[in-house]
């Protein structure tokens, strides 16, 4: 066989053999399967990471929403003032400031899914009476694959509306109310005395003993006396024959002049008995209903009244009169956000604030206003106002106030030679025209005229009215003194109440009262529903 033939034969034999071909196929299949497995694993891992990322981001968003809810819980807590720029801050010995990088105050809350950090800035427009919080809340969730945590930030605007009025909560404001309980022993002294020619034509509640002298009388009811009633002169009477008052509840009996004391009191002239009480009432009994005197929240209103020591007047706008010449307080050196530190400056040292001077002023905050227009003699008021001193109105003539407000004073109040009337009553101060829902001013007075800083009134007096007329409400820690020829048409609440020489005050009960009136729930402002602006 030729050489060429032998080579051809060997090649045919070599190509015809199949030994080792299965290995080649197996290796190929293995490679393909490996690539498939890797692809599947990478795809599964990618999907897992994507799913984890989606879940993490969703959890971060839920945490951010939780931060927003936590902020709302702080703003809506009744004890908090949502118009306080430091409401999210904890009390510190150093006042938070932007310069120090400590304001706005950030809060961080921890949950099983992660953490949320939230904070806000308060923006106010006193001229428009509007305010809102610009809130930021960021949820953080740990990234299990390392790297940056999953985060989500939401932004919301929370409008805040100041509360200026509220329904009457304490029924003591339906009376002339004398709080002094006396000794609790009948006929052991006079805790409230009606003298001269006083004619009480408004509901009267006396916690202790009531004495009538001279020609004093009570022409309208109800009359409630938890102690005893002593009619000491011939002309003293409650109601009249044929003109019964609606009710008289005298807890510990009556005495007319020198007659023996007795309980219960006897209707009219005594009927067939020798007792004469001069009491004519449709309902006459010895079971006075319980009415609790209001408790005054002096400290919280000192801290939160607006305008007040810590809520200053807005800067005057172009054309506006200057801010009032008097100061609400002078808390010099307050360098911390602790309430205890701020309260050390509540010391009745601001002298006498003239609410109606011979020039105009304007003081506005988001939460309230006290402004005086001298040419028209109109005092515009709203909210709760705190003066860490005394106050007076003695400009003479007629002053009309507009709006609903409560004025707190650490010192005393004097209204002298002036008529101070609700705007709705008109220029002649007609009681029948006064709409207390529209215009109602309450004074809450803590001073005592026996102190040098409060000496504009006699010692023992908290509020005094001299040749004056007032439509409104008065509370005093000490005596409410309605002096000669003065009349207050409205409820009075004092340690005792001295009615004027010829007082015939009258008023109907209130339905709504200014926020800050003692005995009502303490409310500052209401945070509204958040409005989402980002996230």
């Amino acid at each position: 066989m030729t050489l060429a033939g032998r080579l051809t034969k060997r090649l045919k034999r070599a190509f015809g053999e199949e030994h080792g071909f299965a290995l080649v196929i197996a290796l190929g299949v293995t490679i393909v399967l490996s690539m498939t497995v890797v692809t599947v694993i990478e795809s599964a891992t990618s999907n897992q990471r994507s799913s984890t990322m989606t879940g993490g981001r969703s959890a971060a968003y839920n945490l951010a929403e939780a931060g927003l809810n936590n902020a709302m819980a702080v703003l809506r807590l009744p004890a908090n003032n949502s118009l306080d720029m430091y409401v999210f801050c904890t009390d510190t010995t150093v006042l938070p400031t932007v310069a120090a990088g400590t304001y706005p105050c950030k809060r961080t809350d921890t949950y099983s899914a992660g953490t949320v950090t939230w904070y806000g800035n308060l923006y106010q427009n006193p001229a428009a009476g509007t305010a809102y919080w610009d809130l930021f809340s960021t949820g953080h969730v740990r990234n299990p694959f390392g790297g940056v945590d999953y985060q989500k930030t939401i932004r919301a605007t929370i409008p805040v509306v100041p509360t200026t009025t509220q329904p009457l909560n304490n029924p003591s404001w339906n009376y002339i109310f004398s709080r002094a309980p006396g000794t609790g022993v009948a006929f052991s002294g006079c805790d409230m005395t009606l003298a001269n020619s006083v004619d009480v034509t408004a509901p009267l509640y006396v916690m202790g003993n009531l004495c009538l002298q001279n020609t004093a009388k009570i022409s309208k009811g109800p009359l409630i006396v938890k102690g005893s009633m002593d009619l000491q002169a011939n002309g003293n009477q409650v109601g009249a024959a044929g003109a019964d008052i609606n009710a008289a509840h005298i807890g510990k009996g009556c005495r007319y002049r020198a007659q023996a004391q007795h309980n219960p009191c006897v209707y009219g002239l005594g009927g067939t008995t020798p007792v004469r009480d001069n009491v004519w009432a449709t309902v006459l009994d010895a079971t006075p209903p319980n009415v609790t005197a209001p408790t005054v929240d002096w400290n919280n209103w000192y801290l939160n009244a607006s305008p007040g020591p810590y809520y200053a007047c807005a800067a005057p706008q172009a054309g506006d009169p200057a801010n009032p010449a008097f100061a609400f307080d002078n808390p010099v050196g307050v360098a911390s956000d602790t309430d205890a530190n701020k309260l050390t400056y509540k010391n009745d040292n601001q002298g006498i604030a003239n609410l109606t001077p011979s020039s105009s002023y304007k003081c506005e905050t988001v939460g309230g206003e006290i402004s005086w227009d001298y040419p028209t003699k109109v005092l515009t008021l709203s909210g709760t106002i705190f003066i860490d001193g005394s106050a007076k109105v003695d400009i003479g003539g007629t002053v009309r106030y507009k709006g609903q407000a409560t004025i707190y004073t650490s010192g005393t109040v004097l209204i002298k030679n002036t008529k101070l009337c609700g705007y709705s009553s008109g220029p002649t101060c007609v009681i029948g025209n006064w709409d207390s829902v529209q215009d109602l001013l309450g004074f809450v007075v803590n001073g005592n005229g026996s102190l040098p800083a409060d000496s504009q009134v006699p010692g023992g007096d908290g509020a005094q009215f001299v040749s004056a007329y007032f439509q409104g409400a008065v509370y005093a820690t000490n005596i409410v003194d309605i002096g000669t020829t003065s009349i207050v048409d409205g409820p009075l609440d004092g340690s005792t109440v001295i009615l004027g020489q010829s007082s015939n005050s009258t008023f109907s009960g209130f339905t709504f009262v200014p926020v800050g009136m003692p005995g009502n729930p303490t409310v500052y402002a209401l945070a509204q529903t958040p409005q989402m602006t980002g996230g």
Side-chain angles (χ1 to χ4, degrees), residues 19 21 90 150 153 168 243 258 290 354 356 428-429 454 475 511 532:
H19 299 295
F21 190 73
T90 56
Y150 301 123
T153 298
L168 178 66
N290 286 322
N354 187 354
T356 54
T428 56
C429 295
D454 305 329
Y475 175 98
T511 303
M532 301 296 291

Side-chain angles (χ1 to χ4, degrees), residues 111-284:
Y111 298 89
S112 59
T115 63
V116 57
T117 298
W118 50 273
Y119 66 92
N121 292 287
L122 178 64
Y123 295 92
Q124 304 183 64
N125 185 342
T130 58
Y132 68 91
W133 282 93
D134 189 14
L135 189 84
F136 297 84
S137 180
T138 302
H140 301 264
V141 175
R142 187 183 67 84
N143 186 342
F145 300 105
V148 179
D149 288 350
Y150 301 123
Q151 296 184 15
K152 185 61 178 178
T153 298
I154 60 176
R155 183 179 183 180
T157 295
I158 306 174
V160 179
V161 177
T163 303
T164 56
T165 64
Q166 56 190 167
L168 178 66
N169 188 67
N170 192 306
S172 69
W173 288 112
N174 290 319
Y175 299 92
I176 296 173
F177 198 93
S178 176
R179 295 193 308 275
T183 63
V185 178
F187 306 101
S188 59
C190 303
D191 299 305
M192 180 178 181
T193 300
L194 304 177
N196 302 314
S197 56
V198 170
D199 182 7
V200 179
T201 55
L204 176 62
Y205 196 111
V206 181
M207 294 287 288
N209 297 330
L210 173 65
C211 297
L212 280 69
Q213 300 173 350
N214 306 111
T215 59
K217 61 183 179 179
I218 298 172
S219 297
K220 291 185 180 180
L223 169 65
I224 302 170
V225 181
K226 297 198 76 172
S228 58
M229 183 168 65
D230 196 357
L231 296 86
Q232 299 177 357
N234 289 335
N236 299 149
Q237 62 187 57
V238 175
D244 292 15
I245 67 170
N246 56 0
H249 308 283
I250 317 298
K252 296 184 178 179
C254 291
R255 178 170 62 189
Y256 176 70
R257 296 188 64 192
Q259 297 183 58
Q261 62 195 50
H262 51 277
N263 191 16
C265 300
V266 177
Y267 179 85
L269 300 179
T272 59
T273 70
V275 178
R276 176 178 176 177
D277 279 343
N278 279 17
V279 177
W280 288 268
T282 303
V283 177
L284 176 60

Side-chain angles (χ1 to χ4, degrees), residues 326-327 350-356 387 389-393 456:
F326 60 85
Q350 289 307 293
I352 300 172
N354 187 354
L355 303 184
T356 54
I387 299 170
S390 298
K392 69 175 182 178
V393 174
Q456 65 173 342

Side-chain angles (χ1 to χ4, degrees), residues 63-77 80 82 87-88 107 109 111 116-120 133-137 156 158 527-528 530:
L63 288 169
E65 284 191 324
L68 175 59
N69 293 334
N70 292 344
M72 288 298 298
V74 172
L75 294 175
R76 287 190 170 177
L77 186 68
N80 291 338
S82 55
V87 71
F88 295 143
R107 302 275 291 267
D109 300 310
Y111 298 89
V116 57
T117 298
W118 50 273
Y119 66 92
W133 282 93
D134 189 14
L135 189 84
F136 297 84
S137 180
I158 306 174
Q528 306 294 298

Side-chain angles (χ1 to χ4, degrees), residues 216-392:
K217 61 183 179 179
I218 298 172
S219 297
K220 291 185 180 180
L223 169 65
I224 302 170
V225 181
K226 297 198 76 172
S228 58
M229 183 168 65
D230 196 357
L231 296 86
Q232 299 177 357
N234 289 335
N236 299 149
Q237 62 187 57
V238 175
D244 292 15
I245 67 170
N246 56 0
H249 308 283
I250 317 298
K252 296 184 178 179
C254 291
R255 178 170 62 189
Y256 176 70
R257 296 188 64 192
Q259 297 183 58
Q261 62 195 50
H262 51 277
N263 191 16
C265 300
V266 177
Y267 179 85
L269 300 179
T272 59
T273 70
V275 178
R276 176 178 176 177
D277 279 343
N278 279 17
V279 177
W280 288 268
T282 303
V283 177
L284 176 60
D285 58 37
T287 56
N290 286 322
V291 175
T292 304
T295 300
V296 183
D297 195 354
W298 295 104
N299 286 349
N300 278 328
W301 282 119
Y302 173 81
L303 295 170
N304 293 285
S306 181
Y310 295 98
Y311 291 85
C313 312
Q317 303 298 306
D320 283 347
N323 288 332
F326 60 85
F328 300 99
D329 197 8
N330 188 28
V332 177
V334 174
S336 75
D337 191 39
T338 66
D339 289 349
N341 183 60
K342 292 178 180 179
L343 288 169
T344 61
Y345 298 93
K346 184 168 71 70
N347 48 15
D348 189 12
N349 66 348
Q350 289 307 293
I352 300 172
N354 187 354
L355 303 184
T356 54
S358 57
S359 60
S360 301
Y361 64 81
K362 186 172 187 178
C363 174
E364 289 180 311
T365 65
V366 168
E369 176 181 2
I370 177 169
S371 300
W372 167 241
D373 185 60
Y374 173 69
T376 62
K377 303 297 187 295
V378 173
L379 189 64
T380 301
L381 303 149
S382 68
T384 303
I385 301 154
F386 198 112
I387 299 170
D388 195 19
S390 298
K392 69 175 182 178

